[in-house]
Amino acid sequence: MTDSSLPDKGSSGVSRRGFMARTGFILGAAALSGHATAAHAASRTTATVIGGGEHVPVLVIGTGYGGSVAALRLARAGVHVHMVEMGMSWDTPGSDGKIFANTTSPDARSYWLRTKTKQPLSNFFGFPIDRSIPRYTGILDAEDFSGITVYQGRGVGGGSLVNGGMAVTPRRENFGAVLPTVNADEMYSTYYPRANAGLGVGTVDPAWFDSADCYQYARVGRKQAQRSGFPFVFVPDVYDWDYMEKEAAGTVPKSALAGEILYGNNYGKKSLQKTYLAQAAATGNVTISPLHKVTSVSPASAGGYTVVIDQLRTDGSTEATKTVTADKVFFAAGSVGTSKLLTEFKATGRLPGLNDEIGKGWGDNGNVMCGRANHLWDPTGAVQSSIPCGGIDNWAAGGAFAEVAPLPTGIETFASFYLSITKNPNRAQFSWNAATGKVDLNWQASWKQPSIDMAKTIFDKINAKEGTIYRTDLFGVYKIWGDHLTYHPLGGAVLDRATDNYGRLHGYSGLYVIDGSLIPGNTSVNPFVTITALAERNIEKIITADL
Ligand code: FAE
């Protein structure tokens, strides 16, 4: 497959887009032994796309963390798994030779069916920075609900394609509030270690960190946190740290040091394509249909479930509608995706026996962003690694854990930037809107105030100590807080409420939830290690008891 199925930068159309839409995807023979290899080596396409009319033992909706764990473990247990993914396969370079667009120059590849970018940092020096792009099934979805924009990855690998790779296990003492019905001893002895190993988690070499230009911003963050009495902690990541050191040395193509992150990393980051999904493919038991979106699941008359799937074109239109049956269906479409499907299916009579917990318990992991303006003697560096590696832990005292995040603009900004995860208690609910035929989420914009208050327990103190101020130019004109968004949607089909204590949906044998929608709104840190560990726990039980 050549590179021409992806759009030219800034072009209004794309050539051979339909090719990807019609092409199936299997990760066969793709398992990578090293992670430094370019992402385009991570997968291989063949015409194995689901045809319609078939019967499959297990169908998994979505290819993010939960779906990938389910696929790998089921496949290793000898079960054939078909994965259905609404996003693209992300295995083919565009006309610039890269699979993924750079954060500083978004193009059609960057956003899911938008004609204008919706960058989380919408402004710079007060000026709006969003730009027009061709509508395309791009990698980052900025999904708007009335009170919040939820950012999500779209494609084979789900959120692992677009996220910062920060792989954080919650502190043991906080776990009881994260997943109250789960045995913490088992999680910390078995499933967190299993998840960390499967994801390829590692930590920056502290000695290299202390000397690397690309972490000047993090060292400034550390110095200022410590001067105000806050602990600075190194945060593990799935980025290949050896590869990053080579990037800094100039011996390999740059990814983290070229500012790649939000729209994909071309090298270095161990997305699920290179870890769980590659291993799943190596079993020979997993097939994936990209650009296929599940629209209906209902009991089949002969047993099992009828699943209706739209095959999408890269302009978002439907090329074909297919119907298959499956003995078992795993919902792994992410917190928002799974919650929307289940809420709709319950309300519209396709799965009326789901219980009243469906759609409830959704939270934003307390996400809020802010920037600070440093003095001229505290430059944060023109070249910043896009991969954060440290955080400020004020969870116990102030309810906030703040990532010291990069601003990879390529110029010196003297800005420190942070994404805080806070103990925001507010929880929203999804509901079916019959008038619009869509699922609504009742999150209110004002519900971010507790997050702002908790983040201020850190940054007001640092500003007072340093004699500095908040940046007001990153999220609008004179707007300090990035309080309109989340990167970390959680909940909507909460464990032991909408499901049993292992993700089996109440009311329907053979239907499971295995993604972030199981977690009731907050993980106290970045969520994907917990999503992966919980999926490892649940699938082990399901394989033993149900298959
Ligand atoms: P997810 O990974 O979202 O996968 C769901 C998949 O299902 C997606 O590929 C969807 O396209 C697909 N899908 C949805 N609906 C359908 C449908 N109807 N039919 C077929 N397919 C469908 O779910 N977390 C961290 O722990 N550390 C970080 O550093 C971090 N940084 C982030 C940065 C950004 C910009 C973003 C957006 C997220 C970040 N996250 C981070 C969050 C993390 O990626 C997220 O919690 C997980 O990806 C959620 O995993 P799930 O398996 O629940």
Side-chain angles (χ1 to χ4, degrees):
M1 199 153 131
T2 71
D3 64 5
S4 53
S5 58
L6 283 169
D8 294 334
K9 273 188 183 176
S11 67
S12 57
V14 296
S15 57
R16 296 179 60 195
R17 286 176 180 171
F19 182 69
M20 285 189 83
R22 287 188 297 274
T23 304
F25 179 88
I26 185 168
L27 287 158
L32 296 183
S33 50
H35 328 108
T37 324
H40 57 259
S43 52
R44 186 173 289 180
T45 51
T46 59
T48 58
V49 67
I50 207 156
E54 39 295 57
H55 178 90
V56 296
V58 170
L59 187 135
V60 176
I61 308 171
T63 58
Y65 293 92
S68 298
V69 171
L72 173 62
R73 300 304 171 200
L74 287 162
R76 286 210 175 144
V79 181
H80 182 78
V81 179
H82 197 96
M83 305 182 84
V84 180
E85 169 55 54
M86 68 191 271
M88 305 205 318
S89 52
W90 300 110
D91 57 354
T92 307
S95 57
D96 59 358
K98 300 271 175 79
I99 293 177
F100 304 112
N102 196 281
T103 312
T104 54
S105 49
D107 60 26
R109 289 171 288 187
S110 303
Y111 281 86
W112 179 258
L113 301 177
R114 277 186 177 270
T115 53
K116 192 173 182 188
T117 65
K118 182 146 185 169
Q119 308 203 46
L121 271 80
S122 55
N123 292 58
F124 204 59
F125 294 123
F127 294 103
I129 55 174
D130 282 314
R131 57 167 84 171
S132 297
I133 48 168
R135 188 180 148 89
Y136 189 64
T137 46
I139 199 163
L140 184 63
D141 194 355
E143 188 169 1
D144 291 319
F145 292 96
S146 62
I148 194 165
T149 299
V150 184
Y151 285 86
Q152 299 150 89
R154 294 275 173 254
V156 174
S160 79
L161 295 166
V162 299
N163 67 32
M166 295 179 80
V168 198
T169 300
R171 283 178 176 277
R172 177 75 171 73
E173 62 265 33
N174 296 332
F175 184 79
V178 175
L179 283 164
T181 63
V182 172
N183 182 323
D185 291 339
E186 282 179 7
M187 288 296 280
Y188 283 81
S189 65
T190 304
Y191 301 111
Y192 274 119
R194 189 176 294 171
N196 278 296
L199 293 164
V201 175
T203 306
V204 65
D205 172 4
W208 181 74
F209 169 84
D210 276 336
S211 64
D213 289 345
C214 63
Y215 281 121
Q216 167 86 6
Y217 74 94
R219 290 194 298 274
V220 170
R222 177 177 63 181
K223 178 182 73 178
Q224 295 178 339
Q226 290 174 342
R227 278 209 292 237
S228 286
F230 297 115
F232 175 92
V233 290
F234 282 115
V235 171
D237 202 281
V238 296
Y239 205 86
D240 183 328
W241 294 103
D242 291 337
Y243 189 83
M244 199 191 299
E245 290 192 26
K246 290 182 190 148
E247 290 182 44
T251 57
V252 294
K254 291 185 171 58
S255 186
L257 269 57
E260 293 177 350
I261 180 164
L262 273 185
Y263 312 132
N265 279 82
N266 284 295
Y267 320 94
K269 194 170 83 179
K270 290 173 271 181
S271 67
L272 290 166
Q273 288 177 322
K274 298 180 185 176
T275 57
Y276 274 94
L277 288 172
Q279 289 185 27
T283 66
N285 274 342
V286 177
T287 53
I288 303 179
S289 292
L291 283 173
H292 279 62
K293 181 177 182 179
V294 169
T295 60
S296 179
V297 177
S298 56
S301 50
Y305 294 90
T306 302
V307 181
V308 182
I309 305 167
D310 281 348
Q311 180 174 2
L312 304 180
R313 298 188 188 93
T314 53
D315 65 1
S317 61
T318 300
E319 175 156 317
T321 297
K322 303 172 179 179
T323 302
V324 300
T325 53
D327 295 331
K328 299 188 188 308
V329 177
F330 285 77
F331 287 83
S335 162
V336 173
T338 291
S339 301
K340 285 198 313 187
L341 290 175
L342 294 175
T343 300
E344 179 181 348
F345 299 164
K346 176 173 168 59
T348 57
R350 277 167 275 181
L351 295 173
L354 294 172
N355 75 14
D356 288 338
E357 293 291 333
I358 294 296
K360 292 183 181 168
W362 186 87
D364 67 341
N365 211 24
N367 279 190
V368 67
M369 294 177 176
C370 67
R372 292 178 38 260
N374 289 306
H375 295 295
L376 291 182
W377 56 84
D378 263 339
T380 46
V383 175
Q384 303 192 359
S385 170
S386 60
I387 298 298
C389 69
I392 304 169
D393 189 355
N394 195 35
W395 191 260
F401 174 84
E403 290 173 14
V404 178
L407 262 184
T409 58
I411 56 169
E412 177 58 61
T413 62
F414 299 96
S416 286
F417 182 58
Y418 308 91
L419 168 62
S420 297
I421 293 157
T422 65
K423 213 185 279 183
N424 189 319
N426 289 311
R427 296 293 177 266
Q429 183 175 350
F430 293 92
S431 60
W432 175 245
N433 184 332
T436 61
K438 290 188 173 156
V439 175
D440 295 334
L441 178 67
N442 69 350
W443 182 271
Q444 311 289 307
S446 61
W447 289 1
K448 285 281 193 182
Q449 191 57 46
S451 293
I452 293 172
D453 295 341
M454 290 171 193
K456 279 162 71 76
T457 66
I458 297 176
F459 303 114
D460 278 3
K461 194 169 174 188
I462 291 178
N463 277 337
K465 176 79 182 170
E466 301 294 327
T468 52
I469 57 171
Y470 288 103
R471 291 282 290 237
T472 58
D473 63 321
L474 300 175
F475 302 102
V477 180
Y478 298 113
K479 180 165 166 47
I480 292 175
W481 298 99
D483 58 355
H484 58 294
L485 82 176
T486 185
Y487 286 174
H488 299 167
L490 292 166
V494 169
L495 189 78
D496 209 34
R497 292 192 220 156
T499 71
D500 76 355
N501 205 24
Y502 290 90
R504 301 176 180 102
L505 272 161
H506 288 304
Y508 294 93
S509 169
L511 293 187
Y512 306 88
V513 175
I514 191 151
D515 59 18
S517 51
L518 291 172
I519 298 175
N522 200 298
T523 52
S524 75
V525 290
N526 315 61
F528 75 63
V529 173
T530 297
I531 294 169
T532 305
L534 182 65
E536 288 280 17
R537 167 194 179 268
N538 292 355
I539 199 68
E540 187 176 88
K541 170 68 93 182
I542 290 164
I543 288 171
T544 309
D546 298 10
L547 291 161

